Amino acid sequence: MIEMMQQEPTPMPSLPKKDKQPKECFLLPAKEKDKEAPKTKKRRKKKISDLLAKSEPKPGVPEDLQKLVMDQLSIKRSVIELEELKLPDSCFLPANDLSHSLSSYLKQICPKWAKLRRNHKEKKSLVMLIICSSALRALELIRSMAAFKGDCKVLKLFAKHIKIQEQVKLLEKGVVHLGVGTPGRIKALIQQDVLNLNSLKYLVFDWNWRDQKLRRLMDIPEIRKEVLELLEMRLISLCRAESLKLGLF
């Protein structure tokens, strides 16, 4: 029996290994985000300065105050009550056309001031009242009326640095002819029965002057509210009785 010898396979020579080439990396472009819908721009609230830039400031007229009173005080009022709140045309003095200083305006609307001043003898009362928006403005007005007031007694009617007790003493102690101040303090003195309105003949609003924010007297919400409350207390009824005259400076 012939044995078959199994021959081992001859090993193949190994091929030299090829150097591995670095693979190139490619960054896939990032997916574009869905474009957001454009936001609607909020309308910027118009400022008083914007309005003034487009047109010259107009001086206040009696209709401005009449309309303001009716618009603001008409809520929850009957027709009869509204009729009693109307300021008659006859109670208004000529308004400042922006050409006057305070002294020249007061001389125009009150030519007999010297006589009124001499005849006024009642304590806790005034002949003329000027309403403005701040203590600093009140001091400025008092300084600017030197040519008009003469030797009359002027009282500062505001809260800044002056306690109400001091103003009460001054009103009770002597005769005061003219008061300049803010509606809040004036209202408080009337409510305390310290300031009597029986002798009051002239009520002047510092209507056209503007503060640093270009706001007029009635543009300031808290001042406007206090002025309307003050008018409602008794001043409107005095105007309707033709014993009180109104001026817009």
Side-chain angles (χ1 to χ4, degrees), residues 163-202:
K163 293 180 179 180
I164 194 168
Q165 291 83 0
E166 295 176 31
Q167 292 160 337
V168 170
K169 286 180 182 177
L170 290 170
L171 284 165
E172 291 178 339
K173 185 178 178 181
V175 175
V176 181
H177 305 91
L178 200 158
V180 184
T182 54
R185 177 50 60 90
I186 294 167
K187 188 177 70 171
L189 289 166
I190 294 172
Q191 287 172 332
Q192 293 186 24
D193 293 326
V194 179
L195 181 57
N196 192 323
L197 299 176
N198 291 337
S199 298
L200 190 64
K201 301 298 179 188
Y202 295 91

Side-chain angles (χ1 to χ4, degrees), residues 206-222:
D206 185 30
W207 190 274
N208 296 299
W209 181 80
R210 295 180 185 272
D211 64 10
Q212 290 181 341
K213 296 181 180 179
L214 299 178
R215 299 175 302 176
R216 295 181 303 176
L217 179 72
M218 294 301 191
D219 294 328
I220 306 169
E222 58 271 23

Side-chain angles (χ1 to χ4, degrees), residues 75-107:
I75 303 169
K76 296 180 181 179
R77 307 271 180 170
S78 67
V79 177
I80 297 173
E81 288 174 327
L82 282 176
E83 192 63 32
E84 292 175 352
L85 293 174
K86 285 184 178 179
L87 289 167
D89 295 338
S90 59
C91 76
F92 284 94
L93 297 160
N96 178 23
D97 59 1
L98 304 183
S99 65
H100 284 281
S101 66
L102 181 59
S103 284
S104 68
Y105 178 68
L106 295 179
K107 285 178 180 179

Side-chain angles (χ1 to χ4, degrees), residues 10-132:
T10 306
M12 295 292 290
S14 59
L15 295 172
K17 291 182 179 180
K18 292 182 179 180
D19 294 336
K20 290 183 179 179
Q21 296 296 327
K23 294 181 179 179
E24 293 184 5
C25 295
F26 296 96
L27 294 175
L28 295 175
K31 291 183 179 179
E32 292 185 5
K33 293 183 180 179
D34 295 336
K35 292 183 179 180
E36 296 180 0
K39 294 181 180 179
T40 55
K41 292 184 178 180
K42 291 183 179 179
R43 292 182 67 182
R44 188 171 68 91
K45 190 176 179 182
K46 287 185 178 180
K47 296 181 179 179
I48 296 174
S49 54
D50 296 334
L51 299 174
L52 288 176
K54 295 179 181 178
S55 61
E56 290 294 324
K58 294 181 181 179
V61 291
E63 289 81 5
D64 294 336
L65 181 55
Q66 288 170 320
K67 186 177 184 303
L68 180 69
V69 169
M70 296 309 295
D71 289 347
Q72 297 291 322
L73 299 182
S74 62
I75 303 169
K76 296 180 181 179
R77 307 271 180 170
S78 67
V79 177
I80 297 173
E81 288 174 327
L82 282 176
E83 192 63 32
E84 292 175 352
L85 293 174
K86 285 184 178 179
L87 289 167
D89 295 338
S90 59
C91 76
F92 284 94
L93 297 160
N96 178 23
D97 59 1
L98 304 183
S99 65
H100 284 281
S101 66
L102 181 59
S103 284
S104 68
Y105 178 68
L106 295 179
K107 285 178 180 179
Q108 180 191 19
I109 65 171
C110 184
K112 297 181 180 180
W113 174 246
K115 183 178 179 181
L116 285 170
R117 186 179 74 230
R118 285 194 302 269
N119 293 339
H120 180 60
K121 308 293 183 184
E122 188 179 350
K123 295 180 181 179
K124 298 171 63 175
S125 66
L126 304 166
V127 178
M128 181 181 290
L129 184 57
I130 300 175
I131 295 178
C132 59

